Amino acid sequence: MIKLIVSDIDGTLVPDGSHKINPEIFDVILKLRAKGIQFAAASGRQWVSIESIFQPVKEKIFYLSDNGAYVGCHGRNLFLNTIERQTVMDMIQEVRSTEGLELMLSGPDVVYVETRDQEILDWLIHGYKFQVQQVDDLTQVDSEFIKVSVYRKSHVEAHTVELRAKFADRLKITIAGEMWMDCMKPGINKGQAVKLLQDSLMIKPEETMVFGDQLNDIEMMSQAYYSFAVGNAREEVKNAARFRTDLNINDGVLKILKLLL
């Protein structure tokens, strides 16, 4: 019997950076819960952004946000994994010296940026619906940090090779699409967050179903027997998953959940 379903958001349930989700999924989540099946959204997004997407069922799901650095439910942080501050400061300096890169620091509840690019700001605020605070100097922000995100308009993976090598022993670094490179405390990833939730709820991997499309979803695949890659997933994710479903734009996840019901 399936007892836990975990799904990525961007590229899996919605197009990257979008808030448009098929509202039918809310009714499906409620029906799954009635059968004793929990639902968790696992994303590189901030928990506030996840909650705004799942507004009709926000009190009925778990949030595995910031690639697993934050594990919680509606209005309540259950587990928080912070990054050593000096590492964050060093990353800020490195990104500032690299042309074409922007930086976003995630605190538990607020993301901090120093960019003056209004297009990026509008996308974060109105697209992702993040709780954003624009500052003059990120090194002066007085907060704990759970994620450092490096942004580039395209091909971020190819343009952060040296950066990833330099911080490989100090951060867990993963590519989350064409535009984002996410950095967390070493050992932190979506798979670790899924395991934490499984242990807390006494749910086994063979009772778990997960969905994903990007490199930051790969660790989740090993935490569930029923691991699905959506049709538009990267090949690495398809190879890591046991099963496949339709494209995200064709509601691949929803189709499987309705079959499960």
Side-chain angles (χ1 to χ4, degrees), residues 1-6 36-40 62 194-210 223-226:
M1 176 182 175
I2 302 298
K3 295 182 180 179
L4 174 64
I5 295 167
V6 185
I37 304 172
Q38 302 290 340
F39 183 90
F62 290 95
V194 171
K195 185 178 188 307
L196 191 62
L197 193 57
Q198 288 170 328
D199 291 345
S200 300
L201 300 174
M202 294 186 289
I203 293 174
K204 302 173 184 177
E206 54 266 34
E207 299 170 325
T208 305
M209 179 180 287
V210 301
Q223 282 303 127
Y225 178 82
Y226 299 95

Side-chain angles (χ1 to χ4, degrees), residues 12-129:
T12 301
L13 283 176
V14 303
D16 283 341
S18 171
H19 243 62
K20 296 180 180 179
I21 192 169
N22 187 332
E24 189 178 356
I25 197 168
F26 305 136
D27 184 54
V28 169
I29 288 173
L30 293 177
K31 288 179 178 177
L32 289 168
R33 277 183 56 87
K35 293 180 177 290
I37 304 172
Q38 302 290 340
F39 183 90
S43 176
R45 292 182 183 228
Q46 180 189 40
W47 74 264
V48 174
S49 176
I50 295 175
E51 183 164 280
S52 64
I53 289 180
F54 290 92
Q55 187 70 23
V57 293
K58 65 182 182 181
E59 298 178 5
K60 308 294 185 183
I61 68 172
F62 290 95
Y63 309 146
L64 312 183
S65 74
D66 298 280
N67 289 318
Y70 179 110
V71 177
C73 50
H74 174 56
R76 187 180 177 192
N77 164 30
L78 303 176
F79 300 97
L80 198 66
N81 296 284
T82 59
I83 304 172
E84 191 267 330
R85 186 175 179 85
Q86 187 57 52
T87 298
V88 177
M89 297 300 106
D90 293 344
M91 177 64 84
I92 292 171
Q93 298 304 329
E94 289 292 333
V95 172
R96 282 175 174 174
S97 65
T98 307
E99 186 178 357
L101 300 183
E102 297 277 4
L103 197 65
M104 180 179 74
L105 304 185
S106 297
D109 303 306
V110 177
V111 297
Y112 302 91
V113 297
E114 57 185 16
T115 184
R116 293 296 181 264
D117 187 324
Q118 193 59 46
E119 184 180 348
I120 295 175
L121 287 170
D122 288 344
W123 187 38
L124 293 176
I125 296 169
H126 304 297
Y128 282 109
K129 297 193 182 297

Side-chain angles (χ1 to χ4, degrees), residues 71-242:
V71 177
C73 50
H74 174 56
R76 187 180 177 192
N77 164 30
L78 303 176
F79 300 97
L80 198 66
N81 296 284
T82 59
I83 304 172
E84 191 267 330
R85 186 175 179 85
Q86 187 57 52
T87 298
V88 177
M89 297 300 106
D90 293 344
M91 177 64 84
I92 292 171
Q93 298 304 329
E94 289 292 333
V95 172
R96 282 175 174 174
S97 65
T98 307
E99 186 178 357
L101 300 183
E102 297 277 4
L103 197 65
M104 180 179 74
L105 304 185
S106 297
D109 303 306
V110 177
V111 297
Y112 302 91
V113 297
E114 57 185 16
T115 184
R116 293 296 181 264
D117 187 324
Q118 193 59 46
E119 184 180 348
I120 295 175
L121 287 170
D122 288 344
W123 187 38
L124 293 176
I125 296 169
H126 304 297
Y128 282 109
K129 297 193 182 297
F130 284 174
Q131 186 71 36
V132 178
Q133 185 173 328
Q134 189 179 31
V135 299
D136 293 327
D137 185 355
L138 288 172
T139 65
Q140 300 303 308
V141 174
D142 183 18
S143 171
E144 294 181 305
F145 301 115
I146 59 175
K147 189 183 70 172
V148 178
S149 296
V150 177
Y151 169 84
R152 194 179 190 279
K153 288 187 177 181
S154 65
H155 302 98
V156 70
E157 186 173 7
H159 288 82
T160 55
V161 174
E162 292 183 8
L163 197 61
R164 297 201 306 274
K166 187 169 289 188
F167 286 88
D169 61 341
R170 301 171 66 185
L171 291 165
K172 164 62 180 176
I173 303 176
T174 189
I175 300 298
E178 277 288 297
M179 296 169 282
W180 293 103
M181 181 187 84
D182 290 339
C183 311
M184 290 73 62
K185 180 180 177 180
I188 299 304
N189 55 67
K190 292 185 184 181
Q192 175 268 345
V194 171
K195 185 178 188 307
L196 191 62
L197 193 57
Q198 288 170 328
D199 291 345
S200 300
L201 300 174
M202 294 186 289
I203 293 174
K204 302 173 184 177
E206 54 266 34
E207 299 170 325
T208 305
M209 179 180 287
V210 301
F211 299 88
D213 76 302
Q214 272 294 336
L215 295 182
N216 61 339
D217 298 319
I218 285 180
E219 287 91 350
M220 285 203 304
M221 299 299 160
S222 62
Q223 282 303 127
Y225 178 82
Y226 299 95
S227 54
F228 284 84
V230 289
N232 52 284
R234 287 183 58 142
E235 284 303 313
E236 298 95 325
V237 182
K238 290 179 179 178
N239 292 336
R242 279 192 176 88

